[in-house]
Amino acid sequence: MLPWKRVLRPLTALLLSAAAVALPATAAHADTATHSGWNDYSCEPSAAHPRPVVLVHGTLGNSVDNWLGLAPYLEARGYCVFSLDYGQLPGVPVFHGLGPIDQSAAQLATFVDQVRSATGTAKVDLVGHSQGGMMPRYYLKFLGGAAKVNALVGIAPDNHGATISGLTNLLPYFPGATDLVKATTPGLADQIPGSAFLTKLNAGGDTVPGVHYTVIATQYDEVATPWRSQYLSGSDVHNVLLQDLCPLDLSEHVLAGLSDRIVFHEAANALDPAHATPTTCASALS
């Protein structure tokens, strides 16, 4: 084996590990049957919250573990909440979001239609973490999702790619490394800045008419880097830096989506802007 080939597999493993940093220990035991309250297809949206919320997990996440914090938070506030698994690879349980992202977007399209049918609603709201905040934009732009979605809230979304603190910049120094990532984990390859997927996604503008976009970023993000690349440009976009809401908040990429109630409060504001209240450090206790 050539010396560089000895490095490729550890590098790929490092990419995977970096993207999955601090995944909750419960991931190994994820099971959609363990949902406590959400994904209830008998849920009837209320007049106060007339649209169901679909939660879209991030890379190496799943429909349960990514949302053990946010799903109950929204449920307690009267929302019908649903989550899906997408981007599964054959023989890889629990850790999803690794398949080609255009195919993942098609899975989201199918799931949204199921939720709309079950709840009798014309539109849903989407809240996604990491890849889950970026991937839906493909659905909105190319798969007819704009007619079925009111708002997209991205928590630490890698809208213009993820360098993982510059780690992906090393790939050109290892011949064949990019091809290896594409062959084994195409969903990761699609998120490398400059990929064919991201080029297509962002060509002609970041947004589509009729959808309200919110991006919640943290300056301590170590995955979707540089963190300003998470922001979107468009006429109906609200870009928020977590530390502008609470300078004391040290959440990085993973914690922002998993457990940060300041993030959750701002996401809830985006879902119901007519009744929004200021998001501050005190929102951690709300």
Side-chain angles (χ1 to χ4, degrees):
M1 179 180 290
L2 295 175
W4 61 265
K5 287 187 177 179
R6 296 192 185 101
V7 181
L8 287 183
R9 295 191 183 281
L11 179 62
T12 302
L14 185 58
L15 286 168
L16 287 166
S17 299
V21 64
L23 275 174
T26 52
H29 307 287
D31 184 338
T32 53
T34 64
H35 287 186
S36 177
W38 79 93
N39 273 359
D40 175 5
Y41 284 87
S42 66
C43 185
E44 297 182 3
S46 65
H49 301 302
R51 292 177 301 276
V53 178
V54 173
L55 303 178
V56 191
H57 66 74
T59 306
L60 293 171
N62 60 66
S63 63
V64 179
D65 294 313
N66 213 139
W67 305 120
L68 292 173
L70 182 56
Y73 183 95
L74 293 176
E75 276 191 294
R77 284 153 181 80
Y79 288 91
C80 292
V81 181
F82 300 85
S83 62
L84 77 156
D85 288 303
Y86 70 86
Q88 301 94 327
L89 291 181
V92 182
V94 179
F95 300 106
H96 303 317
L98 296 173
I101 297 181
D102 58 349
Q103 296 179 23
S104 294
Q107 291 179 275
L108 174 62
T110 299
F111 188 79
V112 166
D113 284 345
Q114 291 173 350
V115 170
R116 291 173 57 245
S117 177
T119 58
T121 52
K123 291 188 175 184
V124 304
D125 289 322
L126 303 177
V127 180
H129 179 216
S130 191
Q131 181 189 161
M134 173 271 288
M135 175 270 279
R137 292 177 48 227
Y138 190 95
Y139 162 56
L140 299 177
K141 194 169 188 179
F142 299 110
L143 302 179
K148 303 173 183 179
V149 173
N150 170 69
L152 169 61
V153 182
I155 300 171
D158 55 338
N159 281 313
H160 299 92
T163 69
I164 314 180
S165 298
L167 187 61
T168 61
N169 297 331
L170 300 176
L171 289 172
Y173 294 98
F174 299 92
T178 300
D179 290 338
L180 177 62
V181 176
K182 288 180 180 178
T184 57
T185 52
L188 289 182
D190 283 344
Q191 295 176 77
I192 297 174
S195 70
F197 173 83
L198 287 172
T199 299
K200 177 180 179 180
L201 176 65
N202 293 313
D206 291 345
T207 64
V208 296
V211 179
H212 309 295
Y213 296 83
T214 299
V215 172
I216 305 172
T218 170
Q219 69 185 40
Y220 301 113
D221 203 304
E222 75 283 24
V223 177
T225 51
W227 66 262
R228 288 182 178 84
S229 69
Q230 299 173 32
Y231 283 176
L232 295 171
S233 297
S235 60
D236 195 351
V237 173
H238 183 44
N239 292 313
V240 182
L241 179 63
L242 179 57
Q243 284 70 36
D244 285 343
L245 304 174
C246 177
L248 301 177
D249 196 320
L250 302 180
S251 288
E252 41 64 72
H253 183 81
V254 175
L255 291 180
L258 293 185
S259 60
D260 194 312
R261 292 178 68 89
I262 297 172
V263 172
F264 297 172
H265 186 275
E266 187 64 12
N269 278 346
L271 295 174
D272 188 9
H275 300 95
T277 58
T279 302
T280 66
C281 294
S283 300
L285 303 177
S286 64

